[in-house]
Amino acid sequence: MKIRVKFGRNPYSNRFACSHCRREFESGGFFLRFEHEEIIVDIPVCGDCFETGEIYEAVLDLAAHHASHPISRA
């Protein structure tokens, strides 16, 4: 099984909901994407949550698309 992972400072100017605090944001922060076959799971993190330096965790279900997969503090 191969999984493509994209991550880095958020380069997009789309409206996202932060995967941790659920607030909407349009730029900045951190962006993480997992792709497996036709499924895409995004984990956008707003700048405020990213700058805390916290470690986050989640259990991903790669059976369905998700534009803002929920995460919590590890």
Side-chain angles (χ1 to χ4, degrees):
M1 171 175 35
K2 292 185 179 183
I3 297 173
R4 175 179 287 175
V5 179
K6 295 180 181 180
F7 59 94
R9 292 214 177 257
N10 179 22
Y12 304 111
S13 59
N14 298 351
R15 181 171 292 253
F16 293 105
C18 177
S19 288
H20 178 65
C21 72
R22 310 311 294 169
R23 287 185 303 210
E24 289 189 358
F25 68 103
E26 293 185 12
S27 63
F30 185 79
F31 187 80
L32 179 61
R33 171 174 280 175
F34 293 91
E35 296 180 22
H36 175 62
E37 296 176 355
E38 300 291 320
I39 304 298
I40 297 173
V41 176
D42 289 337
I43 302 175
V45 179
C46 72
D48 291 340
C49 289
F50 182 67
E51 293 300 323
T52 66
E54 296 286 343
I55 295 176
Y56 299 100
E57 67 180 0
V59 175
L60 301 181
D61 179 3
L62 293 175
H65 291 294
H66 206 302
S68 182
H69 193 286
I71 60 175
S72 60
R73 288 192 175 112

